[in-house]
Amino acid sequence: MLLFSSKKELIAHLATLKNTSTAVGLVPTMGALHKGHLSLIKKAISETKVVVISVFVNPTQFDNQDDLKNYPNTLDTDLETLKTVSEELIVFAPSVTELYSGNISSKEYDFDGLDTTMEGKFRSDHFLGVATVVEKLFSIVKPTKAYFGEKDFQQLLIIKKLVEKTNMPIKIIGCPIVREPHGLAMSSRNERLPKDLRDKASFIYETLLAAKEIFGTKSASNVMDWVINKFDKQPEFDLEYIKITDQDTLKPVKRKQKNTKYRAFIAVYANGVRLIDNIALN
Ligand code: PAF
């Protein structure tokens, strides 16, 4: 396994491996790797010859400085974990100065409204920071394919839009959510939950599953009210939002249409830890 912290050295190394037909896969991460990340990496290994994992806690996507401060920094453990998957991986773990070259700020983007709801609404400028860092990583690695988890479904749509708008020749691959045995979506933030609450947090996924069932016969607003009511009775969980939207545009549902795919999205605080999840409804 090779570890790079310099963009220049990574670019030079990739140039020695690439010819025009070499497929390069990129899995961007912020470290604290868990089974969700490993599923993306395994998918990348199965589809591309050269696989690069970036490990970088991106300051511009955090609206909350405490969240940034508390974000786990576990590069040594992450490298050990990656070795168990494959010795062939290339890891890119730059410093903030290296990646941002002294200008730690986000670019402006137009995502056709995909960024104005849910995570974009509750975490101001979050997606500008995500897109800025992902565009930087894309321009350094120049991957054929890049892999993102569906837990951050809105992020996945925004990255697809970024690639479309900037005409980068990169295929964006969305990978299914990996869950803990009780159903909680895997996330680096789960580590910050006390054990009993981590088990109880399966309530979030159970509620989404029930919402999916109810959506078969009820309107989107009936289902959202039902979820709000469920969370009102759960003092340990503080519901930030529940939204049911068109899966492609993230626009709210006015009246259900036959050929439209819908998805429910949720954000919940548990003991100060912010958890998100989503589910396809049809
Ligand atoms: O999903 C994440 O971990 C981050 O948002 C990403 C895509 C690595 C950008 O920092």
Side-chain angles (χ1 to χ4, degrees), residues 225-248:
D225 287 347
W226 180 84
V227 171
I228 292 167
N229 194 28
K230 281 287 250 188
F231 273 90
D232 276 349
K233 296 186 191 120
Q234 293 286 327
E236 281 141 316
F237 300 111
D238 193 2
L239 178 68
E240 186 171 59
Y241 64 74
I242 169 75
K243 290 260 184 253
I244 293 181
T245 75
D246 176 316
Q247 161 167 301
D248 299 317

Side-chain angles (χ1 to χ4, degrees), residues 249-267:
T249 62
L250 300 184
K251 295 247 164 37
V253 187
K254 288 205 181 94
R255 185 165 300 156
K256 285 194 247 176
Q257 307 287 334
K258 264 217 172 101
N259 297 323
T260 307
K261 292 269 176 219
Y262 299 105
R263 199 167 267 267
F265 297 86
I266 196 164

Side-chain angles (χ1 to χ4, degrees), residues 27-31 37 54 56-58 61 71 126 129-131 133-134 137 148-149 152 155 159:
V27 183
T29 81
M30 298 208 295
H37 296 113
S54 61
F56 179 72
V57 181
N58 174 34
Q61 71 187 75
Y71 207 86
H126 168 68
V130 170
V133 79
V134 169
L137 294 167
F148 295 85
D152 297 295
Q155 168 174 281
I159 304 294

Side-chain angles (χ1 to χ4, degrees), residues 29-164:
T29 81
M30 298 208 295
L33 301 180
H34 52 67
K35 288 192 184 131
H37 296 113
L38 299 190
S39 77
L40 304 181
I41 295 168
K42 286 179 188 158
K43 176 102 170 134
I45 293 173
S46 74
E47 294 188 346
T48 58
K49 187 149 186 280
V50 174
V51 176
V52 180
I53 321 295
S54 61
V55 177
F56 179 72
V57 181
N58 174 34
T60 62
Q61 71 187 75
F62 286 83
D63 56 328
N64 177 335
Q65 288 312 299
D66 278 344
D67 200 17
L68 173 59
K69 246 189 355 225
N70 288 329
Y71 207 86
N73 199 325
T74 56
L75 185 58
D76 291 343
T77 330
D78 289 342
L79 295 176
E80 289 307 315
T81 309
L82 290 173
K83 270 191 212 150
T84 65
V85 180
S86 161
E87 287 280 356
E88 310 283 294
L89 298 171
I90 297 171
V91 181
F92 180 45
S95 66
V96 173
T97 320
E98 175 68 9
L99 205 59
Y100 278 91
S101 313
N103 177 18
I104 308 171
S105 62
S106 299
K107 274 177 68 174
E108 289 298 324
Y109 294 92
D110 176 3
F111 295 121
D112 298 341
L114 287 174
D115 57 334
T116 54
T117 176
M118 300 187 293
E119 294 305 283
K121 187 164 165 202
F122 285 93
R123 303 179 68 188
S124 83
D125 293 347
H126 168 68
F127 287 120
L128 299 181
V130 170
T132 301
V133 79
V134 169
E135 191 177 356
K136 282 182 191 295
L137 294 167
F138 283 175
S139 69
I140 295 166
V141 177
K142 300 203 173 6
T144 323
K145 293 183 175 183
Y147 297 81
F148 295 85
E150 286 187 350
K151 183 176 79 76
D152 297 295
F153 195 88
Q154 190 176 9
Q155 168 174 281
L156 174 63
L157 291 187
I158 284 173
I159 304 294
K160 285 185 177 165
K161 184 64 81 180
L162 169 75
V163 166
E164 180 194 311

